[in-house]
Amino acid sequence: MIEVRKIVVTVEEVRHDGGPALDAPILKGSVACLVRNPFAGRYEAEITPMMDALKPLGVECARKLLDALGGDPGRIEAYGKGSLVGASGELEHGALWHVPGGYAMRELLGQALAIVPSMTKVGGMGASLDVPIHHKDAAYVRSHFDGITVAVADGPRTDEILFALAMTTGGRPHARVGGLEKDAIAKWDGQR
């Protein structure tokens, strides 16, 4: 059921964002996987078997991204996921990534208590997807509210889905607007 055409891994090395140079760059990466949409062009009532079929791909993509970011799960502070469905599909086809993408990252990273933020939309070839990112252990750590734009020039084709994962080794480079700080996470409930 799962036919992968292409996997694209991208890593940004953020050294500053207009302020002083950071002591160590923040790595911010994404993995995009273009998969044939078996439901393209028609309505299918029962699509959840594909969710289970995507689980190995979720693990593969999470591993590729972690490796591109240095391979150390302990360095990852934030994450997100998303999907971009080709024009012959529907939003619900992109939602199939919730479990395979989110749980793959959470399992790989060990302690990852916060829900994985997500974005799904329908778009044409070359469209971009803004994947939301927040802290992996506490969703209210404001310094880690961020995102990464994912795009693949030749996808998704009309009968494809682009599934994406994102991870970072830090928050915004010069965060200074208050809120819960990562060192003040206390409840360990995924929120605060």
Side-chain angles (χ1 to χ4, degrees), residues 14-62:
V14 182
R15 297 179 180 206
H16 70 84
D17 189 36
L22 302 173
D23 292 335
I26 294 169
L27 300 180
K28 187 174 175 181
S30 67
V31 58
C33 183
L34 290 163
V35 175
R36 186 182 69 80
N37 183 351
F39 312 116
R42 63 186 171 85
Y43 176 81
E44 179 68 40
E46 182 51 53
I47 62 173
T48 56
M50 186 172 171
M51 194 178 296
D52 283 336
L54 283 166
K55 287 179 180 178
L57 182 61
V59 172
E60 178 184 359
C61 287

